[in-house]
Amino acid sequence: MKQVAQNYKSGELVVLDVPPPGCAPGGVLIRSLYSLISTGTELMKVGEAKLSMLGKARARPDQVKKVLDTVAQQGMVSTYKKVMNKLDSYTPLGYSLCGVVVEVGAGAEEFSVGQLVAAAGNEFALHAEYNWVPLNLCVPVPDGVPAEQAAFSTVGAIAMQGVRQAEVQLGDTAVVIGLGLVGQLVVRLLVAAGVRVYGIDTVEDRCRLAEKAGALHCSSPDEAGVAALERSLLAASNGLGADHILLAAGGHSNGPVETAARLARDRARVVDIGKTKLDLPWNAYYDKELDVRFSRSYGPGRYDDRYELEGIDYPAGYVRWTERRNLACFIDLIAREQIDVGSLIAGQFPITDATNVYQQLSTNTLPGVGFLFEYPKTEEDAAAAASSGGGAPGSADGGGPGAGRGSSGHDTTRRREPALRPAPAGG
């Protein structure tokens, strides 16, 4: 099968031929229809891989600390060999997709072969033709929701968790700083929640796209743009300022957190969703007693192996919105037409064109924020799409590895990543 991966040492990005994964207990094997390119997270990884060794170290101080800890435990020579081997291996990309279940593992019988599902996880929902995904990182897609829109669910859950951390209320005002893919989804969620939304981005087209989605005023981050937005914001809030600032920007500029302090009202909430520089100007944040919060990925359960790999859920009475419930909620908003993601789709490309697509995205020659990889369709997919007017195949026969084999007799060990091997020349 085809899979997108990158060599972190050389920066080479390739489409590999790899063996399809097996279907382990506790999850389902999915044949991908569409996977969404995270133009923020993935391009950041692609950019980091092209840096020098010193540049990589500066970009990932957390990894440098791990290396130093390993040196202390295992010595310099052993650590060096491990680091070089790790850097010189291929790392898969992707974490948000929609596809059809082709096999159901033991313990995941709530799903069925042929069912359309959305899936998450940077170790599971990869840019690959087939993926095994654990139960708690997978949700059904209702009839009528196009597969290409359902592929946005993971990034939608990231935006949703940020909105939840802000604890918005009807009539509040909010400023979204950074109107890329996540920022655009944040705008749409805030508008759906009855919040008056403002936005800031360096790209004019993104500002206009957010305004079409319901934002009241969007501007550039320069002094003239911020001043104009501030006037509009103060007029709408009776001179108070924004109740919430949501940081969906990336990069190494401290401008977003400084602008946040300027536009926030007294005791407002500032929520960091993206990966931006957070050198907080102490006086500005202290004077307004701003509440700074972080939004961790898709929601509660993220990075907890017992939740993600073992399928142990958190009771709704204690944790109302887990990452899986956020995924399902976002899909439900699409199904009920309370949030529009179709307008964000700027391009769909065959998985075999991945290297060219990333190159164009890295050089900003592809306008827009939402880009999808599409995968080979079966005859059943085409028939289902035709019968639903171009929508998602809700009952297509899976086909492919493991189709129809049921849920018994599977290997009981934890899923192992398939060994990656380079594709033949030209493919």
Side-chain angles (χ1 to χ4, degrees):
M1 70 171 189
K2 301 296 184 185
Q3 182 179 68
V4 180
Q6 184 175 38
N7 183 298
Y8 199 69
K9 181 179 180 181
S10 67
E12 178 191 20
L13 198 146
V14 294
V15 178
L16 303 176
D17 276 326
V18 301
C23 187
V28 293
L29 185 63
I30 299 171
R31 176 170 55 81
S32 303
L33 296 177
Y34 296 94
S35 60
L36 179 68
I37 302 173
S38 175
T39 46
T41 302
E42 290 184 48
L43 290 184
M44 178 184 69
K45 290 181 179 179
V46 170
E48 286 178 358
K50 296 177 181 179
L51 297 174
S52 65
M53 292 298 291
L54 179 58
K56 289 181 173 70
R58 287 173 174 169
R60 295 297 305 272
D62 56 324
Q63 295 300 318
V64 173
K65 184 179 184 303
K66 289 182 181 179
V67 170
L68 294 177
D69 290 341
T70 305
V71 170
Q73 296 172 5
Q74 302 179 20
M76 180 66 75
V77 175
S78 176
T79 301
Y80 177 81
K81 290 180 179 179
K82 287 184 177 181
V83 170
M84 289 300 104
N85 288 337
K86 176 92 173 164
L87 288 174
D88 206 21
S89 62
Y90 285 102
T91 301
L93 297 176
Y95 63 84
S96 185
L97 66 79
C98 179
V100 177
V101 174
V102 297
E103 188 174 354
V104 178
E109 289 84 2
E110 65 184 79
F111 295 101
S112 59
V113 171
Q115 186 174 20
L116 190 71
V117 295
N122 63 0
E123 295 178 359
F124 305 104
L126 307 171
H127 295 310
E129 290 185 77
Y130 290 88
N131 288 284
W132 179 84
V133 181
L135 176 71
N136 277 344
L137 291 174
C138 191
V139 296
V141 176
D143 291 340
V145 175
E148 58 269 29
Q149 294 188 28
F152 280 74
S153 60
T154 307
V155 182
I158 292 172
M160 181 172 286
Q161 177 62 12
V163 172
R164 294 197 192 286
Q165 286 294 86
E167 297 184 35
V168 300
Q169 299 184 63
L170 286 168
D172 281 352
T173 55
V175 178
V176 181
I177 300 180
L179 297 173
L181 180 57
V182 171
Q184 294 289 340
L185 292 169
V186 169
V187 167
R188 285 157 172 75
L189 289 168
L190 290 170
V191 170
V195 176
R196 293 172 293 179
V197 185
Y198 297 81
I200 295 175
D201 198 277
T202 57
V203 181
E204 174 77 14
D205 288 346
R206 293 179 179 180
C207 290
R208 304 293 79 80
L209 185 61
E211 289 176 345
K212 288 180 180 178
L216 300 178
H217 182 101
C218 297
S219 69
S220 63
D222 57 30
E223 176 56 33
V226 174
L229 185 144
E230 185 176 28
R231 288 193 296 271
S232 177
L233 173 64
L234 292 175
S237 61
N238 294 319
L240 294 176
D243 300 295
H244 313 278
I245 310 289
L246 296 102
L247 302 176
H252 304 289
S253 169
N254 208 47
V257 296
E258 294 172 3
T259 301
R262 173 176 174 176
L263 299 176
R265 67 159 170 82
D266 190 58
R267 293 177 175 82
R269 295 190 184 97
V270 178
V271 180
D272 178 45
I273 304 173
K275 187 177 181 181
T276 190
K277 185 176 181 180
L278 290 175
D279 185 4
L280 303 180
W282 188 88
N283 285 335
Y285 276 68
Y286 174 84
D287 288 346
K288 290 186 176 180
E289 200 173 0
L290 298 179
D291 182 357
V292 180
R293 300 183 177 187
F294 289 85
S295 177
R296 188 170 65 183
S297 199
Y298 330 142
R302 188 72 180 110
Y303 310 115
D304 179 352
D305 284 351
R306 295 188 66 196
Y307 179 91
E308 293 191 335
L309 299 181
E310 298 175 28
I312 299 175
D313 198 6
Y314 303 150
Y318 292 92
V319 184
R320 177 62 184 95
W321 293 107
T322 60
E323 57 182 323
R324 190 185 190 198
R325 293 177 192 130
N326 277 340
L327 289 168
C329 181
F330 188 80
I331 291 286
D332 183 62
L333 289 174
I334 297 175
R336 290 189 285 118
E337 298 183 349
Q338 292 187 316
I339 185 170
D340 167 42
V341 299
S343 61
L344 294 176
I345 299 175
Q348 299 175 191
F349 306 93
I351 186 65
T352 50
D353 289 349
T355 53
N356 182 48
V357 172
Y358 279 108
Q359 174 63 28
Q360 292 183 68
L361 289 173
S362 298
T363 55
N364 295 316
T365 54
L366 275 180
V369 295
F371 301 94
L372 296 159
F373 289 131
E374 53 185 0
Y375 298 81
K377 305 291 192 300
T378 66
E379 293 181 2
E380 290 84 355
D381 291 339
S387 65
S388 63
S395 59
D397 179 15
R405 288 206 297 264
S407 59
S408 61
H410 301 304
D411 180 11
T412 58
T413 58
R414 180 175 291 185
R415 173 184 184 254
R416 291 185 289 270
E417 293 291 337
L420 300 180
R421 61 176 184 271

